Amino acid sequence: MTMRSPEVSQGHPQRWLILGVILLAQLTVLLDNTVLNVAIPSLTRELDASSADIQWMINAYSLVQSGLLLTAGSAADRYGRRKLLIAGLAVFGVGSLTAGLAQSSGQLIAARAGMGVGGALLMTTTLAVVVQIFDDSERVKAIGLWSTVNSLGFAAGPLIGGIMLDHFWWGAIFLINIPVALIGLWAVVRMVPESKNPQGDRPDLGGAVLSTIGMTGAVFAIISGPEHGWTSGRVLVSAAIGVLVLGAFVLWELRAPYPMLDMHFFRNQRFVGAIAGAVLVSFGLGGSLFLLTQHLQFVLGYGPLEAGMRTAPLAVTVVLLNLTGLGARLVPKLGTPATILSGMSLLAAGLASVALLSGGADGTYAGVFLGLVMMGAGIAMAMPAMANALMSAIPPAKAGVGAGINGTMAEFGNGLGVAILGAVLNARFFALVSVSAASLPAALAAAGSAQERREIADAFASGLETSQLVGAAAVFLGGLLAAALLRRAERTQPVAPAQAPVPVLDADPASGAPQGDGAVDAGGADGAVKGSGAARTG
């Protein structure tokens, strides 16, 4: 009788230390999504940057990262997740050094694009490594901590950037990444075992090119829409390129002998349900934060720093609940569908609280605070369960692609949340008042009397309330949809008895001792061990 080794069944012996290292690297990547926003005045002054330059400094990073997520995940599966994690840290470190020492806008934009390449490699390989080194009993808790870092990085970027700029010049916000990258490189080389798809599929170069172009076009349209208008030529052309090329990508993948994304995954209701939930949680979170910053500044009258600090309860709630292992304990008790539905219902209730209890133009922060805490609790429940459901629906050998899909869906959800809820806000605002200005500050400045300014502020508050309620309804209905698909999948596609994913592991980086030689069956999500790939006894 063939038995699996205790190490494989219980996870990697240094798994928690490894998790800490890769989460530190991931936090740095996430901070760089938002940290640059607070440096805009310094960059405008010291680099003589134009508005277009500033836009590209901010967007080059997220645009390149989003476009490469699927390709990076596929490459990690084929060539080794540890190799790509090392490459990502190195590229991100070099890009940070170049950005910190940049002498012109063009140099900084190019450096930010390079950092985006490293960020894509890190974002996909961190989650893939988590799936490989933790067994079923601990994976939800580990993914919960991974989700915590996502929320913390998103919220803490402006605060950390502000602290750095109070004491140093703008380049310090990039140079601080270098010691983190060096520590991460040392730890990954020393501790992280190699794992990859044992089938050794040939590279899908056509799929990589099409997915990168298509994703870049779609994300660029979403990024550009709010500023340039959804019917502008730039946005329409970019969106058309994205849609057409992504359509060609789907057709290519259906015919490719070794596709980077197996389209048959979409026949799995567990996979589809997890994707639907992931998009709509990101939709609610991204759209609500976009609306909330305007609510705090334009309606309640807080300054930028005060507004930023008053969004902190959301991130603090997510961090505290995930550190206590809330999601990890709820999934076994309630099941994945009920946990996701409960979390998304709380997120929807939080959005509704901000809309209905904040009191409009004469309101207070109390309703916002309650809403943020409820939203944080919902995210802490739903996101780890969702990520675990998505990764569990994919063969462990394809963990990198799964991580790429998870990141891609988050990017789409965030962008759609900003686009759709922003459009609802504008439609309601312009339906209530007749102004020619394109923004609230411009409309207030052009108002001829205090009464007119009051009417404009009330209309904006009403528009915010409507858009937040639309977001709440969308998130709640998304929770129902995701839970229904996942529950149906549990009935029609039963999961095999729980067992750990068994990656192909090379020798231990530090000791040279073999960590296991298990091959994963890429044909099923249960990670069954095949033939000679079973771990030896002893």
Side-chain angles (χ1 to χ4, degrees):
M1 178 178 177
T2 303
M3 298 175 61
R4 288 185 295 167
S5 68
E7 178 180 307
V8 172
S9 62
Q10 295 176 7
H12 192 279
Q14 293 181 301
R15 56 195 178 278
W16 294 107
L17 186 57
I18 294 171
L19 178 65
V21 170
I22 62 178
L23 291 188
L24 178 63
Q26 181 188 345
L27 177 61
T28 308
V29 172
L30 291 163
L31 288 173
D32 273 81
N33 278 303
T34 55
V35 73
L36 195 62
N37 293 333
V38 295
I40 289 175
S42 299
L43 293 170
T44 302
R45 181 176 60 252
E46 297 185 28
L47 294 183
D48 195 26
S50 65
S51 297
D53 291 335
I54 294 294
Q55 181 184 359
W56 276 107
M57 289 174 192
I58 294 172
N59 291 341
Y61 181 73
S62 57
L63 192 63
V64 171
Q65 182 174 292
S66 302
L68 290 176
L69 281 170
L70 274 177
T71 301
S74 176
D77 289 336
R78 283 180 165 88
Y79 303 118
R81 300 174 186 106
R82 176 171 171 265
K83 291 187 184 70
L84 271 293
L85 189 53
I86 292 171
L89 284 165
V91 171
F92 190 78
V94 171
S96 298
L97 177 63
T98 306
L101 301 178
Q103 300 296 310
S104 68
S105 297
Q107 291 176 6
L108 183 53
I109 292 169
R112 290 277 289 172
M115 291 171 67
V117 175
L121 294 173
L122 289 173
M123 289 296 291
T124 51
T125 49
T126 52
L127 182 56
V129 169
V130 168
V131 171
Q132 297 296 329
I133 63 176
F134 285 93
D135 63 16
D136 291 337
S137 64
E138 295 178 324
R139 193 177 305 122
V140 177
K141 183 177 181 181
I143 291 178
L145 294 174
W146 181 87
S147 298
T148 299
V149 170
N150 278 336
S151 301
L152 184 61
F154 185 81
L159 293 177
I160 292 178
I163 293 171
M164 294 294 295
L165 289 172
D166 277 346
H167 296 87
F168 307 101
W169 95 111
W170 64 265
I173 62 177
F174 299 114
L175 297 182
I176 197 175
N177 297 336
I178 296 173
V180 176
L182 292 174
I183 292 170
L185 279 170
W186 175 83
V188 169
V189 170
R190 292 280 300 173
M191 291 185 294
V192 176
E194 183 62 284
S195 63
K196 59 185 176 181
N197 185 347
Q199 289 186 329
D201 296 345
R202 293 196 300 271
D204 179 13
L205 297 179
V209 171
L210 290 172
S211 71
T212 301
I213 295 174
M215 281 299 304
T216 302
V219 173
F220 182 73
I222 292 174
I223 289 174
S224 302
E227 180 175 356
H228 296 281
W230 296 104
T231 58
S232 67
R234 172 188 301 206
V235 173
L236 291 177
V237 170
S238 178
I241 291 173
V243 170
L244 291 174
V245 176
L246 286 175
F249 169 71
V250 171
L251 295 176
W252 176 277
E253 295 299 279
L254 287 171
R255 292 169 172 78
Y258 299 99
M260 62 182 290
L261 176 59
D262 189 345
M263 290 297 158
H264 296 97
F265 288 160
F266 290 92
R267 296 179 180 175
N268 185 324
Q269 291 178 349
R270 190 177 298 109
F271 178 80
V272 174
I275 282 182
V279 170
L280 286 161
V281 166
S282 299
F283 175 95
L285 180 60
S288 66
L289 288 177
F290 168 72
L291 298 174
L292 186 62
T293 54
Q294 298 182 70
H295 184 103
L296 291 170
Q297 294 183 66
F298 296 147
V299 177
L300 298 184
Y302 295 111
L305 180 59
E306 293 175 309
M309 294 182 67
R310 281 168 172 77
T311 63
L314 188 150
V316 170
T317 303
V318 174
V319 171
L320 291 178
L321 292 181
N322 274 331
L323 287 178
T324 60
L326 174 69
R329 290 198 299 269
L330 286 178
V331 170
K333 292 180 181 178
L334 301 180
T336 298
T339 302
I340 289 174
L341 178 57
S342 300
M344 294 184 72
S345 298
L346 266 176
L347 176 57
L351 283 166
S353 173
V354 174
L356 300 175
L357 301 181
S358 57
D362 296 320
T364 64
Y365 178 67
V368 175
F369 177 82
L370 175 63
L372 287 172
V373 172
M374 295 173 70
M375 289 164 63
I379 292 166
M381 292 173 62
M383 287 191 73
M386 207 102 62
N388 187 62
L390 191 151
M391 299 301 289
S392 298
I394 291 178
K398 300 287 187 180
V401 170
I405 294 170
N406 186 73
T408 300
M409 294 302 103
E411 291 287 344
F412 267 128
N414 280 325
L416 289 174
V418 171
I420 294 175
L421 298 188
V424 172
L425 165 63
N426 288 334
R428 177 65 175 166
F429 175 63
F430 289 113
L432 293 174
V433 293
S434 178
V435 293
S436 57
S439 66
L440 177 65
L444 291 173
S449 65
Q451 176 63 27
E452 188 176 350
R453 284 192 292 272
R454 174 72 183 188
E455 291 175 356
I456 291 171
D458 286 342
F460 189 80
S462 178
L464 279 171
E465 178 181 320
T466 301
S467 56
Q468 286 160 340
L469 290 175
V470 169
V475 170
F476 178 68
L477 293 175
L480 290 175
L481 173 63
L485 290 172
L486 290 167
R487 194 173 297 281
R488 181 183 298 177
E490 288 180 351
R491 291 197 296 263
T492 61
Q493 301 168 344
V495 181
Q499 59 184 17
V502 186
V504 171
L505 301 176
D506 290 345
D508 179 87
S511 66
Q515 296 294 303
D517 57 353
V520 182
D521 179 4
D526 56 15
V529 181
K530 295 171 64 177
S532 60
R536 298 185 183 92
T537 58

